[in-house]
Amino acid sequence: MFKSLRADFRIIFERDPAARNWLEVLFCYPGLQALLFHRLAHWMYSLGMPFIPRLISHLARFLTGIEIHPGATIGTGVFIDHGMGVVVGETAIIGDYCLIYQGVTLGGTGKESGKRHPTLGENVVVGAGAKVLGNIQIGNNVRIGAGSVVLREVPSDCTVVGIPGRVIYRSGVRVDPLEHGSLPDSEAVVIRTLMDRIEALETQVHTLNDQLSGVPAQALTQPSLCFTSENNHLVSDSQESEVDCSGQTTCCSLKDKEILEFLDGSGIWHLDECSRFSKD
């Protein structure tokens, strides 16, 4: 326990430029104080001692604004920055050298028994106000953006943003844990891609209208025309045996990597379901 406390104390100087001396850190950092109370309460809790661990946890919440259930398991070198409003559930597990900001909740999703709170790997950064809910596994070196709501498991070396949390893969990239403010905007990338697609389709429609403007009106009513997203051209009823006009409206072919990762990361559509659209 004392080894963990030393690591908790030293990590503050590494990750907080405002930490100037040990006296200030010891008496003016609620995150460190909450961990001190929790280490003691967790030790008593593991011995099966009733009431007292919860009382210590309650006193720590009153003094620091940080609520950590004595049953939670917290690794070494964990830094809770500012900390006001942080809630850590009974069966939550926090790995070594995690960084947690104010307003974070590591909670459950119901009244189920057993393991019902999340497990954070090592070097995880959880931004201010983020909620990680349920018995899910968060991999190592994961960054969770401020205000995100994470309800699904996250693999290692990823970034999660949005509500619900969308996974953005960043494998192989070493990320500074303090650079949590420079998170990518996946929604903006996808919206920009869709806008470009719509603009291209509108250009095609205008071109087709110009081409058909000189065709007699009766000629337009003989074979009905439909637009296929597979090869981007018009086909008539005589070709319906080759192309089904009623089932071809996929809006846009899901070939863009940004769209695929956006849909998969948010749980709307998995990559294995989208793969059939990415074939030429």
Side-chain angles (χ1 to χ4, degrees), residues 116-136:
R116 60 189 184 277
H117 298 101
T119 298
L120 307 186
E122 298 180 357
N123 298 301
V124 175
V125 179
V126 187
K131 314 300 178 185
V132 186
L133 306 177
N135 181 20
I136 57 177

Side-chain angles (χ1 to χ4, degrees), residues 73-88:
T73 302
I74 299 180
T76 61
V78 174
F79 180 25
I80 303 176
D81 197 6
H82 300 291
M84 179 62 70
V86 169
V87 177
V88 180

Side-chain angles (χ1 to χ4, degrees), residues 161 166 168 183-196 258 262:
V161 295
R166 286 174 289 275
I168 301 173
L183 298 177
D185 190 344
S186 61
E187 292 185 11
V189 173
V190 172
I191 292 173
R192 179 70 261 178
T193 303
L194 294 177
M195 291 178 64
D196 292 340
E258 292 85 359
F262 179 85

